[in-house]
Amino acid sequence: MPQVMEFKLPDLGEGLTEAEIVRWLVAVGDVVEVDQPVVEVETAKAMVEVPCPYGGVVTARFGEEGTELPVGAPLITVAVGAGSEPEPAAVAESSGSGNVLVGYGTDHSRPARRKRVARPAAMAAAAVAAPVAAVAAVTAPAPVAPAQASGPVPVISPLVRKLARDNGVDLRALRGSGPEGLILRADVEAALRAPAPAAQAAATPVAAPDGATRIPLKGLRGAVAEKLSRSRREIPEATCWVDADATELMAARAAMNAAAGPKISVLALLARICTAALARYPELNSTVDLAANEIVRLPSVHLGFAAQTERGLVVPVVRDAQSRSPESLSAEFGRLTELARTGKLAPADLTGGTFTLNNYGVFGVDGSTPIINHPEAAMLGVGRIIDKPWVHEGQLAVRKVVQLSLTFDHRVCDGGAAGGFLRYVADCVESPAVLLRSL
């Protein structure tokens, strides 16, 4: 007899708790192989193809395209042939194994395989009974168990520990639903939901006039809303700004690009200036640990930059930007921007930033007071570079002028450090030779 195995939406990592079904890659009755992508989902961070750890015949799918599912909810059931012991493939293997979630691992180009074959009678019968069996197999969240007096807490994931710590959940009081009592994120989330049933009541919709359109605040838009709201709630931010003469910077870039080799973008030059400024003012490359009541200064600059896509605004991250040359920065900006436009950024490309560079000049505006990308401590905004009258060497002249703005967390530094950072950036823009002193 074939065995019907249920595959649930896996933990996609990076704090993600739900995903929206974008496109099914298989249908009921299709034969799937181990690690074959079966569904494309959209998380708050990226589009991800989810591979199935079982091989066999698809007997049921749970959720239509556009449905949002929480982590741990059933995705599909697969009838595995008689005589075989189904062993789920590891979701996170070593690099190059192929046994990874598409979008997190080594193979981003493997096409989804879909084929239909005649099903044996036993599998056909299993297909009819599978939905009922699958529904019965869905279990309730793990209940809270009596607190353990001592001994190790069965938790592996640091994300689970952080979630529990941030929300004041005692892991010793939970009974894990994973293998051998392992505590999963679903167990912590169940504990968070249990004490506050009143919070589960649906809010009263805001009255809207006839003809109004309601757009669900979910996916990327929902994640942006939550992050920006949290930033405004937690961070006492302040903004300072200055106009700078960028004529010499633009001339330096033209000279660089006139030579042989890859072209250098303005964003790459500004990024290199940022990393030099952060070396002088490291308090702006930090984060605030509320649980420990400490400011954490970070050793590396992982530079985020705002990129507008069809899905909305995303912030890809350039790792170890402080050790990159303008040429390397330009190449990495180009690579990540292309992945963002095609929707192929992995969640790892969108997390871990320590400082953000926001070039809103591409929208044709001069200034802005951006909201800090939580949990970072600062963001540099750059307006458009345009010709303006400017006093240069005692004479009125037409120069290329840009407005720079720095929004910073007032907990990590005072105005002196923020002003010093911005002034140094402006000095490098106005006279790129200043940057040579720090190289």
Side-chain angles (χ1 to χ4, degrees):
M1 287 289 293
Q3 185 176 2
V4 177
M5 305 301 297
E6 181 182 76
F7 174 46
K8 299 179 180 180
L9 179 64
D11 185 340
L12 300 175
E14 302 292 349
L16 303 175
T17 58
E18 65 276 323
E20 179 180 338
I21 297 174
V22 175
R23 180 167 61 99
W24 283 105
L25 304 178
V26 296
V28 173
D30 286 359
V31 173
V32 295
E33 300 175 9
V34 172
D35 291 331
Q36 176 180 333
V38 294
V39 66
E40 185 179 60
V41 301
E42 179 181 18
T43 71
K45 299 182 183 297
M47 301 283 281
V48 180
E49 288 185 351
V50 181
C52 178
Y54 306 115
V57 176
V58 177
T59 58
R61 302 187 316 191
F62 298 89
E64 300 297 326
E65 294 178 356
T67 302
E68 191 170 74
L69 297 177
V71 169
L75 267 181
I76 64 171
T77 54
V78 177
V80 179
S84 64
E85 285 293 330
E87 295 183 1
V91 176
E93 289 281 338
S94 60
S95 177
S97 70
N99 295 337
V100 292
L101 283 175
V102 179
Y104 287 79
T106 56
D107 186 3
H108 292 267
S109 59
R110 180 177 58 181
R113 299 181 296 274
R114 177 172 174 173
K115 55 186 179 181
R116 300 183 68 92
V117 298
R119 292 173 293 167
M123 289 189 176
V128 176
V132 177
V135 172
V138 179
T139 58
V144 176
Q148 301 175 16
S150 61
V153 179
V155 179
I156 295 176
S157 171
L159 290 173
V160 174
R161 290 185 181 275
K162 184 177 186 302
L163 178 65
R165 182 176 64 250
D166 291 349
N167 292 277
V169 175
D170 183 3
L171 290 172
R172 294 184 182 277
L174 298 184
R175 180 185 303 147
S177 61
E180 300 184 41
L182 182 68
I183 297 176
L184 308 177
R185 179 161 54 196
D187 302 322
V188 178
E189 291 170 345
L192 291 174
R193 290 192 299 266
Q200 299 176 3
T204 303
V206 177
D210 293 340
T213 301
R214 290 185 178 271
I215 301 172
L217 197 58
K218 63 180 182 179
L220 178 62
R221 189 74 258 160
V224 170
E226 190 281 330
K227 194 162 193 176
L228 296 183
S229 298
R230 183 177 182 183
S231 178
R232 276 292 166 88
R233 286 194 307 268
E234 294 185 7
I235 299 177
E237 61 187 31
T239 302
C240 53
W241 57 89
V242 66
D243 288 340
D245 180 359
T247 305
E248 296 301 323
L249 180 69
M250 300 304 289
R253 174 177 177 258
M256 292 178 188
N257 289 339
K263 302 301 182 183
I264 306 298
S265 66
V266 175
L267 188 64
L269 294 178
L270 291 170
R272 187 63 189 88
I273 291 172
C274 268
T275 58
L278 289 171
R280 286 176 168 245
Y281 299 94
E283 50 266 72
L284 291 170
N285 191 56
S286 62
T287 188
V288 175
D289 186 342
L290 291 177
N293 198 31
E294 294 175 339
I295 296 172
V296 182
R297 291 191 181 178
L298 303 167
S300 299
V301 179
H302 300 318
L303 188 66
F305 67 99
Q308 192 68 37
T309 71
E310 292 183 357
R311 295 182 64 224
L313 184 68
V314 295
V315 184
V317 177
V318 176
R319 307 286 169 184
D320 299 309
Q322 81 284 351
S323 62
R324 293 177 179 267
S325 66
E327 185 175 305
S328 173
L329 286 166
S330 190
E332 187 67 357
F333 283 138
R335 184 186 73 85
L336 291 172
T337 299
E338 181 59 27
L339 288 175
R341 287 174 178 166
T342 56
K344 295 181 180 179
L345 281 172
D349 296 325
L350 296 165
T351 55
T354 64
F355 185 93
T356 295
L357 177 60
N358 187 359
N359 180 21
Y360 45 76
V362 297
F363 301 120
V365 297
D366 297 327
S368 173
T369 55
I371 300 175
I372 295 173
N373 188 20
H374 184 280
E376 297 171 14
M379 176 185 291
L380 179 69
V382 182
R384 59 178 177 166
I385 301 175
I386 59 172
D387 292 339
K388 281 187 176 182
W390 190 267
V391 177
H392 177 65
E393 297 180 346
Q395 301 292 323
L396 187 63
V398 176
R399 307 285 287 182
K400 294 189 178 299
V401 179
V402 61
Q403 185 180 98
L404 306 170
S405 63
L406 176 71
T407 299
F408 64 98
D409 185 341
H410 229 313
R411 297 173 298 180
V412 304
C413 70
D414 295 324
F421 173 93
L422 189 59
R423 186 64 257 170
Y424 178 79
V425 170
D427 289 345
C428 290
V429 168
E430 294 186 335
S431 180
V434 173
L435 184 61
L436 295 177
R437 296 175 61 91
S438 64
L439 299 180

